[in-house]
Amino acid sequence: MAKSGQRAGRTAGTDPRSNATRQALIEAAIESLRFDGFSGASARTIATRAQSNQGLVFYHFGSVTDLLLAALDEVSNRRMERYSAAVGSAESPTRLATVAAQIFREDLDEGYVTVLVEMMAGATASPALGEEVAKRIVPWLSFTRQVIDHALTGTPFATVVPTDDAAYAVVALYLGLELLSHLDGDRSRALALFERASSFAALFDTGTTSPLEA
Amino acid sequence: MAKSGQRAGRTAGTDPRSNATRQALIEAAIESLRFDGFSGASARTIATRAQSNQGLVFYHFGSVTDLLLAALDEVSNRRMERYSAAVGSAESPTRLATVAAQIFREDLDEGYVTVLVEMMAGATASPALGEEVAKRIVPWLSFTRQVIDHALTGTPFATVVPTDDAAYAVVALYLGLELLSHLDGDRSRALALFERASSFAALFDTGTTSPLEA
DNA sequence: GTCTATACTTGGATAGAC
DNA sequence: GTCTATCCAAGTATAGAC
């Protein structure tokens, strides 16, 4: 209640030193979601990973949940940048499938989707958290829809497939594949599916640009 | 170390009264996974839901984790019976799609897949738990594969689609749809996809049996 | 077989010293 | 801005009375 524009924890960061700590905590929270899971991502665990102090979680973020949401924002933003850049360079369906496979591999290896899935599953506990997480899924859905929209122009499917339904399905598949492959520690089966999608996409390569151009 | 054949907690249940408590705890554990999530499913929460005592969790199951695994076994068995019965009555692809939609609706409404997903996501915490959960996914995968196998006989896809890859994808999609629709509390988008699958399946209804027969 | 009591650990969160 | 100390609630697990 002291200064204005100050929610739970100090949101601002007017001071220079503060930012480093915040960032370290966010990084550690990402790791913790990835390796300890939602249920294991406590203030103490995270602080230890950040080689920082447990109290700072509450100072900077107000609550553990808010830190976890900040962590989710971070990975979400990072991935969205990466996705945009990668997809922009893929003109043909085949190239797109290849790029998607590459991105998916990264997501699995770096645990980005793990973070998302852990937050989604963890949100079962509280409707409030659920709402916050839901907000952060929207960009993934709309981005996917845009990509599908773009990829389908010039193919027979363009007019048949409702792209927001397709996006919903693709994101669901993405999340499910993470769950499965993470569980048995084997990416190969999931990646094989992308291979297959690649071959399938090749059937429609006449659409926009020649594969040779990429 | 006392008697043989006795793991953590009393596994047997030679006495008649014991079974009721065990069953109540399992039921409560299912509810807890569904509504409190993996992270909220503690011995205390579960015992409260079962209107039983916290200590009994450890008496009967040895640990909370083992109780949760027993809960997962329970839903897994229940669903497998239901699936088998339902699919057995579906002879044409269209009927199969309809039945699948029906089953999926049940799964969402009754929270069966929630339980599975919570356990999968919760297993991130410990490799040991992960292994146990992984074991319990196998039946879902092989059942799905069998259904796909059966559904594809007589269609053009029969020889083209590797059914275990397809099963992997279908299960992944199933899990992902649960995650998404559970999060925003809206089943309609997921169910719409099944509608679409139904229409698609109708294209191959000449295969085994006439739709009229069902 | 069940319940209460209890021990111990971990986690969320705040207060106050530096 | 950071760290330590501290409080309190919740969690796992066991012992012992009924």
Side-chain angles (χ1 to χ4, degrees):
Chain A
M1 293 191 180
K3 292 178 183 176
S4 64
Q6 189 175 291
R7 307 177 315 115
R10 279 76 189 148
T11 311
T14 43
D15 299 77
R17 258 198 309 174
S18 176
N19 226 297
T21 312
R22 273 186 68 90
Q23 211 48 45
L25 284 173
I26 288 178
E27 220 59 53
I30 294 173
E31 273 181 38
S32 197
L33 280 171
R34 209 188 142 186
F35 297 113
D36 309 318
F38 180 85
S39 68
S42 70
R44 285 184 153 90
T45 324
I46 295 171
T48 303
R49 281 190 185 278
Q51 291 179 303
S52 172
N53 188 284
Q54 174 252 139
L56 293 177
V57 167
F58 302 96
Y59 175 75
H60 283 287
F61 299 92
S63 73
V64 176
T65 313
D66 285 348
L67 168 53
L68 295 180
L69 284 171
L72 179 54
D73 278 332
E74 180 69 26
V75 301
S76 210
N77 291 336
R78 269 188 217 165
R79 289 325 276 166
M80 225 42 82
E81 281 180 32
R82 176 76 179 93
Y83 296 165
S84 307
V87 167
S89 73
E91 286 301 327
S92 69
T94 302
R95 281 282 302 152
L96 181 62
T98 309
V99 166
Q102 166 68 19
I103 291 272
F104 182 61
R105 189 189 300 261
E106 280 177 27
D107 275 346
L108 287 190
D109 289 351
E110 304 299 323
Y112 295 119
V113 196
T114 308
V115 170
L116 182 54
V117 166
E118 286 296 325
M119 287 300 285
M120 290 180 80
T124 296
S126 98
L129 178 55
E131 218 173 297
E132 290 301 315
V133 176
K135 276 187 207 160
R136 287 155 175 91
I137 306 282
V138 177
W140 296 64
L141 283 170
S142 55
F143 175 81
T144 306
R145 193 183 55 72
Q146 282 171 34
V147 172
I148 294 176
D149 264 338
H150 186 260
L152 288 190
T153 39
T155 78
F157 297 113
T159 51
V160 188
V161 180
T163 50
D164 55 340
D165 278 12
Y168 199 78
V170 167
V171 171
L173 184 62
Y174 211 81
L175 297 170
L177 287 177
E178 148 68 26
L179 270 177
L180 277 178
S181 58
H182 190 266
L183 189 66
D184 47 44
D186 178 18
R187 325 168 308 176
S188 64
R189 301 190 69 179
L191 289 172
L193 289 172
F194 273 87
E195 298 279 331
R196 221 168 288 288
S198 255
S199 327
F200 187 69
L203 299 177
F204 307 102
D205 259 359
T206 47
T208 52
T209 309
S210 154
L212 297 172
E213 196 173 328
Chain B
M1 295 186 184
K3 293 178 182 176
S4 63
Q6 188 175 291
R7 309 176 314 114
R10 278 77 188 145
T11 311
T14 42
D15 298 78
R17 258 198 307 173
S18 174
N19 226 298
T21 312
R22 273 187 67 91
Q23 211 48 44
L25 284 173
I26 288 179
E27 220 60 53
I30 295 173
E31 275 181 35
S32 197
L33 279 170
R34 208 186 142 186
F35 297 113
D36 309 319
F38 179 85
S39 69
S42 70
R44 284 184 154 89
T45 323
I46 295 171
T48 303
R49 281 190 185 278
Q51 292 179 302
S52 171
N53 188 283
Q54 174 254 140
L56 294 177
V57 167
F58 302 95
Y59 174 75
H60 283 288
F61 299 93
S63 73
V64 176
T65 313
D66 285 347
L67 168 53
L68 295 180
L69 283 172
L72 179 54
D73 278 332
E74 180 68 27
V75 301
S76 209
N77 291 337
R78 270 188 217 164
R79 290 324 277 165
M80 225 43 81
E81 280 182 32
R82 176 78 178 92
Y83 295 163
S84 306
V87 167
S89 72
E91 285 303 327
S92 69
T94 302
R95 282 281 304 151
L96 181 63
T98 308
V99 166
Q102 167 67 19
I103 292 272
F104 182 61
R105 188 189 301 261
E106 281 177 26
D107 275 346
L108 286 191
D109 289 352
E110 304 299 324
Y112 295 120
V113 196
T114 309
V115 170
L116 182 55
V117 166
E118 286 297 323
M119 288 300 284
M120 290 180 80
T124 296
S126 97
L129 178 55
E131 218 172 298
E132 289 302 316
V133 176
K135 275 186 208 161
R136 288 155 174 90
I137 305 283
V138 176
W140 296 64
L141 283 170
S142 54
F143 175 81
T144 306
R145 193 182 55 71
Q146 281 171 35
V147 172
I148 294 177
D149 264 337
H150 186 258
L152 288 190
T153 39
T155 78
F157 297 113
T159 50
V160 189
V161 179
T163 51
D164 55 339
D165 278 12
Y168 199 78
V170 168
V171 171
L173 184 62
Y174 211 81
L175 297 170
L177 286 177
E178 147 68 25
L179 270 177
L180 277 178
S181 58
H182 189 265
L183 189 66
D184 47 45
D186 178 19
R187 326 169 306 176
S188 64
R189 302 190 68 179
L191 289 172
L193 289 172
F194 273 87
E195 298 280 331
R196 220 167 289 288
S198 255
S199 328
F200 187 69
L203 300 176
F204 307 102
D205 258 359
T206 48
T208 53
T209 310
S210 154
L212 296 173
E213 195 173 328

